[in-house]
């Protein structure tokens, strides 16, 4: 057992370059910042909703009544400012955790007024994980100041564990989704019309409400034989997700399959998961710093 724990510790704290962690910070933080800015009007609009609609969830459960509109707008503005500092890597030891906390609060507050947006959960957890590590030791304003005094940092375990944590959070979220399917439906998820009926119901409901629906999904429900293989594939991706932590090749297969899964959800039900569809949710699995080397022209060798 001791030997196993030592191996797990070495794997979790495996060395990684500061540049890799910094690139993931730029991608994840940049997405979160743009997301807040794009949805800013919607996020502050909850301040106009009737108080009886307030149903606090998560960290918002500490409140017994809604916040005044000025507080909602102030916290949103603070989150955007902290997000800009997070992306720029400015005073990251303070700005990082602050942005993680404010992002969690702002999005949880919005979810306390009706539909809970599960598409935001992974993004928030990734931001929090990055905020706890040394994600601004490269490609940041903090790194510029530090580099004037010392050499660039060498690969180290402190740059590896936040990436491993990101990957663990990602696969856990998919694994939980698979377990939930089995708990709610058992093997009927694969062997019955549950997925087909869900696609049909989702599109009919959206048509009735005048919302965006998927013509492709409506057409495919006519072909019953298509859905058991799709249901089995989705379950295999989710339950097999933890294997991606132990093999780089398996990680590539998992990320590709998960991306195709979200593309299928978009095409058949018009449900958009932008974070994984842009590939940012899977950034921690890849050696992104090597892309910099691919852009460098190769020097010609001796004739």
């Amino acid at each position: 057992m001791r030997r196993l724990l030592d191996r797990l510790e070495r794997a979790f704290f495996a060395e990684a370059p500061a540049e890799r962690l910094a690139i993931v910070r730029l991608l994840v933080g940049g997405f979160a910042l743009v997301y807040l800015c794009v949805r800013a009007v919607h996020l502050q609009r909850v301040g106009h909703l009737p108080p009886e609609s307030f149903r606090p969830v998560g960290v918002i459960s500490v409140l017994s009544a809604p916040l005044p509109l000025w507080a909602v707008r102030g916290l949103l503005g603070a989150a955007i400012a902290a997000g800009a500092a997070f992306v720029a890597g400015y005073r990251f030891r303070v700005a990082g955790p602050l942005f993680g906390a404010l992002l969690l609060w702002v999005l949880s507050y919005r979810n306390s007024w009706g539909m809970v947006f599960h598409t935001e959960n992974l993004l928030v957890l990734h931001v929090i994980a990055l905020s706890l590590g040394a994600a601004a030791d490269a490609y940041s304003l903090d790194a510029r100041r530090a580099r004037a005094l010392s050499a660039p940092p060498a690969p180290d375990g402190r740059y590896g564990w936040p990436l491993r944590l990101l990957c663990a959070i990602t696969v856990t979220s998919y694994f939980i989704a698979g377990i939930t399917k089995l708990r709610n439906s058992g093997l009927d998820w694969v062997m019955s019309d549950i997925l087909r009926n869900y696609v049909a119901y989702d599109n009919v409901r959206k048509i009735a409400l005048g919302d965006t629906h998927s013509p492709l999904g409506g057409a495919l429900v006519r072909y019953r034989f298509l859905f058991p293989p799709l249901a089995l594939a989705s379950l295999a991706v989710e339950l097999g997700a933890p294997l991606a932590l132990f093999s780089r090749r398996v990680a590539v297969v998992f990320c590709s399959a998960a991306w195709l899964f979200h593309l299928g959800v978009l095409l058949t039900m018009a449900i958009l998961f932008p974070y994984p569809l842009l590939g940012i949710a899977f950034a921690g699995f890849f050696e992104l710093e090597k892309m910099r080397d691919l852009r460098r022209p190769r020097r010609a060798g001796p004739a």
Side-chain angles (χ1 to χ4, degrees):
M1 179 60 70
R2 179 63 183 175
R3 185 175 299 175
L4 176 61
L5 291 176
D6 289 341
R7 291 184 63 183
L8 290 174
E9 183 179 0
R10 287 196 300 270
F12 191 77
F13 291 97
E15 290 184 354
E19 291 83 359
R20 186 185 307 172
L21 181 58
I23 293 172
V24 175
R25 183 199 88 240
L26 291 169
L27 291 172
V28 175
F31 180 92
L33 179 59
V34 171
Y35 186 82
L36 284 179
C37 292
V38 169
R39 292 179 57 82
V41 174
H42 176 75
L43 291 170
Q44 62 87 30
R45 192 175 292 166
V46 296
H48 299 284
L49 296 176
E52 56 269 21
S53 301
F54 184 59
R55 298 289 186 276
V57 298
V59 295
I60 310 301
S61 299
V62 299
L63 298 179
S64 58
L67 295 172
L69 180 58
W70 64 264
V72 174
R73 290 175 172 171
L75 287 167
L76 175 59
I80 292 174
F86 183 99
V87 174
Y90 178 71
R91 306 289 184 184
F92 190 79
R93 289 187 178 180
V94 175
L98 180 62
F99 181 50
L102 287 171
L103 183 66
L104 174 63
W105 180 273
V106 168
L107 296 183
S108 297
Y109 192 77
R110 162 59 188 88
N111 290 338
S112 297
W113 296 87
M115 179 180 177
V116 176
F117 287 84
H118 297 289
T119 55
E120 300 168 343
N121 293 348
L122 189 59
L123 171 63
V124 174
L125 290 174
H126 279 182
V127 168
I128 292 174
L130 287 169
S131 73
L132 300 176
D137 282 8
Y139 303 141
S140 68
L141 296 179
D142 288 350
R144 281 191 176 186
R145 293 199 306 270
R147 195 167 296 176
L149 302 174
S150 60
D156 194 274
R158 69 178 184 274
Y159 305 126
W161 74 258
L163 294 169
R164 300 297 293 176
L165 180 58
L166 252 70
C167 295
I169 291 171
T170 301
V171 301
T172 300
S173 68
Y174 284 90
F175 184 72
I176 290 174
I179 293 296
T180 301
K181 286 183 177 65
L182 291 180
R183 289 186 62 184
N184 291 340
S185 308
L187 292 179
D188 286 343
W189 171 258
V190 176
M191 304 179 68
S192 71
D193 286 335
I194 291 177
L195 178 58
R196 176 173 173 241
N197 292 339
Y198 186 77
V199 172
Y201 166 78
D202 184 77
N203 282 292
V204 169
R205 179 181 62 85
K206 288 174 178 175
I207 292 172
L209 296 174
D211 199 357
T212 302
H213 68 286
S214 168
L216 177 62
L220 290 180
V221 294
R222 302 173 185 175
Y223 305 98
R224 184 176 183 178
F225 69 92
L226 291 175
F227 289 88
L230 292 176
L232 178 61
S234 68
L235 197 61
V237 170
E238 292 167 343
L239 294 181
L243 297 176
L245 296 176
F246 303 100
S247 167
R248 190 170 298 278
R249 291 183 179 180
V250 174
V252 172
V253 173
F254 161 71
C255 294
S256 302
W259 185 85
L260 288 172
F261 166 79
H262 288 292
L263 179 62
V265 171
L266 176 63
L267 294 177
T268 58
M269 291 187 285
I271 299 176
L272 176 63
F273 288 79
Y275 188 54
L277 272 175
L278 289 174
I280 300 174
F282 312 112
F285 288 97
F286 300 98
E287 298 175 343
L288 298 177
E289 76 283 356
K290 292 186 177 180
M291 296 175 61
R292 175 192 57 191
D293 300 330
L294 295 176
R295 294 197 302 268
R296 293 177 178 174
R298 294 184 179 180
R299 295 181 179 179

